[in-house]
Amino acid sequence: MRISVDTEREFLESVFKVQGFNEQDGQLLADTLVDADLRGISSHGIQRLQWYSKMIEDHTLEPKNQPKILNETPTSLLIDADKSMGQIASAFAMRKLIEKAKAGGVALAVIRNSNHFGTAGYYSRMASKEGLIGISTTNTRPLVVPTNSLEAFLGSNALAFTFPADPHPFVFDGATATVSSGKIQVLAKKGEQIPGDWAVDENRNVLHDAKTVEDNLATIAFSDDRPGGGVLTLGGNKEVNSNYKGFGNSLIIELLTGILAQGSLSADTNKAPHDFSQFFMTINPALFGDLETLKANASAMFDRIRHLKHVPGTKIMIPGDREYQNYDDNLKAGINIDGETLAELQAISKQYNVPLPIDEANA
Amino acid sequence: MRISVDTEREFLESVFKVQGFNEQDGQLLADTLVDADLRGISSHGIQRLQWYSKMIEDHTLEPKNQPKILNETPTSLLIDADKSMGQIASAFAMRKLIEKAKAGGVALAVIRNSNHFGTAGYYSRMASKEGLIGISTTNTRPLVVPTNSLEAFLGSNALAFTFPADPHPFVFDGATATVSSGKIQVLAKKGEQIPGDWAVDENRNVLHDAKTVEDNLATIAFSDDRPGGGVLTLGGNKEVNSNYKGFGNSLIIELLTGILAQGSLSADTNKAPHDFSQFFMTINPALFGDLETLKANASAMFDRIRHLKHVPGTKIMIPGDREYQNYDDNLKAGINIDGETLAELQAISKQYNVPLPIDEANA
């Protein structure tokens, strides 16, 4: 079934209010989930609400807490999120980094004691709206098996990189691993199979049953057990296809987040305090040339790539193309909600006594 | 056969002197090639000398030219390499960025009108020696097919990321593509097959004959023809295994290099002036914590990963482990030179009247 964007936003804002977030924070949180659903990144949309609610109940997440600046220089920020939701400290950091990059050309922020921050692209897109390059990363729960390893250690470790362009910015936004766990969750909820080489068992045999993989990942991420197996690094199962490069990419994010923040490694976020760390950067391209010229050159390059000879029946898409198309489509058609997520939302509606208006015509 | 490191260095310095480089630049160039060979990155070692020499002959590369600063701020440098060898402007930029990051925490450099710069890791390791995080990137000749594309457009677009650690820094250093063209060149020179899914033909069928692929890549990179096919993005041939993430990684480098520098795109470097562009960054981790603590934490994480349960008969290696081991081994054993490269070096020896002393015992 589909629900309208207004319905989704209103429901989320009401739930977050009852959960104790202030109005501004609740609006931000709702906006990040609605934005993900609009862009077709349903793994990071309203389907995460159940997890967020659970984190409030077990005090992994404190809705009333606010981020604090521990250290600030003209080029940097070190922030303690104080167990608030990741979105709150992240948007706060990115707003400050935008000012800093406009003044000094480049700036970095590291956040500790944080939580899940939604999609990485939400924050790097804030920078691109201001004519800046934006970079946004986070570590996560343990999910990913290093090259040759039989057990998970790394997070899916999202990276977003945004560069100003027309008709929309370049937005690379995704797990450094082959996929995020959310993508497998969505397939499991729909009862679908995994179509590619995304995850392995304790002997590094590729698994295709999404429910089996999802159950295994949940055990790894949310308990003290590490039964073996996990999500593959980019490059797949075989070292000969350079999966050590995907491993390296994931480790770079681990260094910029958990290590620089002196927070938990992804490997250890299965245990309390379950803290995530984030890293952000803004770069002013005007350090190197006229912004409009750089934008025009980037846009022209993307157009050339879109029109290269390609496999019949396929399209060459620049990072961001699909999400901006989804955004326009879903704004009209409404947000698609799978049956299991709907049941979760109905339970939350009951628990917090917040009505979930369903357009029965579309149900 | 193997030659000693001293022999390699002396031969290279002598050739570069005859070619017109000043003493300091010739020593730097020789050092970058010797360093690559020592680390087992033979794709970027002395086997590149023939190509470098050819670039001097066709004036893609001007040995006497020196880099010029076009714009400088406390956090940035824009440099015109003026067709000098990439190593010269790159080392110059990195030395300045090290000073800037020590003073202000973070700094960026973009270089235009440059050439091949050797291994990306050479420059990011300069930063790690000073307790800094180093990032080093370049675009290249056109080689890589975007997701779903039947023709090459992107460069192999190297990325190096270095983080201080013990007993050696973390050094991620490689093409963002599945492999660099140099790796295929080395197999072709040895008459070996490609062991994985690295390259495709004009219909995106995977090719395994290194000589066939090498000939195709040379046509794409060095002529006006674009016969179709090329090297795969990280993630392989199938979109379902997220090869669009590898494509995105390669595009990020293209944006930071050719676009920010307003130089040629990788796609256009087959035509004169064959210019490459580079991007560098230094970050002072002391912005966020005590360097020795951060180093110790990173080193401890790497050790935990090295000791995870793993596939029997394999090893889990942290980026840099193999190269530092090779370095120690090759320093003792000497540098391995394949037969075809030896023939190339003998021709260069004759052309420039520089003796190439061969230890016949090892030949």
Side-chain angles (χ1 to χ4, degrees), chain A residues 165-182:
Chain A
D166 292 313
H168 63 73
F170 172 91
V171 182
F172 179 85
D173 180 13
T176 44
T178 301
V179 292
S180 72
S181 62

Side-chain angles (χ1 to χ4, degrees), chain A residues 75 150 178 197 241-242 309, chain B residues 104 150-151 178 197 241-242 309:
Chain A
T75 59
L150 298 174
T178 301
D197 293 357
N241 288 332
S242 307
K309 271 184 282 180
Chain B
L150 298 175
E151 49 183 328
T178 301
D197 293 356
N241 289 333
S242 307
K309 270 184 283 181

Side-chain angles (χ1 to χ4, degrees), chain B residues 347-361:
Chain B
I348 289 166
S349 160
K350 213 166 163 183
Q351 181 184 357
Y352 294 102
N353 196 25
V354 171
L356 175 66
I358 299 293
D359 178 356
E360 291 294 339

Side-chain angles (χ1 to χ4, degrees), chain B residues 57 59 67 78 97 100 142 199 208 222 245 316 320 336 355:
Chain B
E57 286 161 29
H59 294 279
L78 177 64
L97 290 190
K100 286 179 188 288
H208 288 288
F222 293 98
K245 295 191 180 190
I316 302 179
N336 205 5

Side-chain angles (χ1 to χ4, degrees), chain B residues 78-79 98-99 200 221 228 247 252 279 292 348 359:
Chain B
L78 177 64
I79 291 172
I98 288 168
E99 286 170 34
V200 291
F247 170 37
I252 289 171
F279 173 92
E292 290 310 314
I348 289 166
D359 178 356

